[in-house]
Amino acid sequence: MKEKIDYLKELPVINLLKPDELRKIEEKFHVENIAKSKFVFEEGNSCIWVYFVCAGRVKLLAHSSAGKDFILRIVSSNDLISDNNLIFRRDPECVYSAKALESSVVAKITTNDFTALMNNKPELYKSYAEILDSHLLEAYQSLKNMAFEKVERRIARHLIQFAKNTGEKTDSGIKLGVKLSRQEIANLTGTTIETAIRVMSKFKKLKIITEKEGHIIIAERHRLVNIAEEF
């Protein structure tokens, strides 16, 4: 495992600090190992932390009254998980859950300490605002897709996004760096598991994708892009 300061210097917002500034605030951060399928935090629980992913991947979940989960976003290494709206609204409860998709390393700092840090260095607010803006744009596009787009296009777009963020080029195509179950694909795209199974089976039959050891491999990216951008 890397030293704490090596993780911190790669995190957004924090990476703008000079080495001596980083050393001064290092003790304010807590770095934790989160096992696969374990929660970083849970919806409804008391929360006073700002969270970052240092390594691994974490999915953000909303829970329905019927007991179903909806995946809001998947957070990869060196990204902000959430401040749970604490910085500007001071809500004491987590508004959604965060769960490790794989063994992950998470850094957290109290909201008070994070706010004090940005108050001392106002230029950090710009970086922080840019991150929130990108997350809001991603959420808007996802909601727009679910409201207006056909399910095949929605799934294709999510696969392309995962390929962009986590993909690894192989001889067989682009292997997604995260394993996605049919249920998780359904949750991400706002459809039923039966529909997700049907669409993914169709993509496999058309040889657009393959699967190996639980990983989806995009064999024909240009065909998937055509589906995603079809009018």
Side-chain angles (χ1 to χ4, degrees):
M1 183 175 175
K2 297 195 302 189
E3 295 293 326
K4 182 200 291 188
I5 198 163
D6 292 324
Y7 283 123
L8 298 182
K9 67 185 181 183
E10 296 178 359
L11 297 179
V13 182
I14 310 304
N15 59 12
L16 297 178
L17 296 174
K18 297 176 181 177
D20 59 319
E21 295 172 327
L22 188 57
R23 282 190 291 270
K24 288 178 182 178
I25 59 96
E26 180 184 1
E27 63 179 17
K28 302 290 186 182
F29 281 88
H30 301 263
V31 174
E32 302 174 347
N33 290 303
I34 309 294
K36 180 181 177 180
S37 299
K38 296 297 183 182
F39 283 98
V40 180
F41 55 83
E42 293 187 67
E43 182 179 337
N45 287 356
S46 177
C47 183
I48 60 167
W49 303 95
V50 177
Y51 294 89
F52 297 84
V53 176
C54 300
R57 295 180 181 89
V58 171
K59 59 182 176 181
L60 306 185
L61 301 167
H63 309 290
S64 73
S65 57
K68 293 185 177 182
D69 290 337
F70 179 77
I71 299 178
L72 301 171
R73 194 165 67 89
I74 292 180
V75 187
S76 297
S77 301
N78 300 323
D79 196 0
L80 176 74
I81 298 181
S82 172
D83 65 1
N84 275 304
N85 221 12
L86 288 168
I87 294 226
F88 299 113
R89 205 178 69 179
R90 299 288 172 181
D91 191 330
E93 292 186 354
C94 298
V95 294
Y96 44 78
S97 300
K99 190 176 186 180
L101 265 173
E102 59 193 34
S103 295
S104 302
V105 179
V106 169
K108 64 182 184 179
I109 181 173
T110 67
T111 304
N112 287 339
D113 286 336
F114 191 60
T115 304
L117 174 64
M118 291 199 294
N119 285 338
N120 290 333
K121 287 187 69 68
E123 62 268 30
L124 300 184
Y125 270 111
K126 181 176 183 293
S127 175
Y128 177 70
E130 288 172 347
I131 294 169
L132 293 187
D133 180 67
S134 68
H135 291 177
L136 286 171
L137 178 60
E138 184 179 332
Y140 167 76
Q141 290 173 333
S142 179
L143 287 171
K144 179 182 175 182
N145 287 341
M146 283 188 283
F148 300 114
E149 306 294 1
K150 295 188 300 183
V151 66
E152 286 187 6
R153 188 184 299 180
R154 300 203 302 264
I155 291 177
R157 285 182 174 177
H158 275 283
L159 293 179
I160 290 168
Q161 189 64 39
F162 277 113
K164 179 181 177 181
N165 294 339
T166 73
E168 172 190 351
K169 289 186 178 180
T170 70
D171 292 339
S172 303
I174 303 173
K175 183 176 78 172
L176 304 194
V178 60
K179 294 181 180 180
L180 290 173
S181 69
R182 297 300 188 261
Q183 184 63 67
E184 287 171 327
I185 291 172
N187 292 345
L188 272 168
T189 55
T191 190
T192 64
I193 186 171
E194 293 81 8
T195 301
I197 291 171
R198 177 180 59 78
V199 172
M200 292 297 287
S201 295
K202 179 180 179 180
F203 287 170
K204 288 180 72 173
K205 186 176 181 180
L206 293 172
K207 302 188 184 303
I208 294 173
I209 65 168
T210 61
E211 290 184 276
K212 184 177 181 181
E213 298 176 348
H215 287 273
I216 297 169
I217 299 171
I218 300 176
E220 299 283 348
R221 184 183 181 279
H222 66 285
R223 295 175 66 191
L224 197 63
V225 169
N226 286 342
I227 294 171
E229 297 180 351
E230 185 182 47
F231 293 98

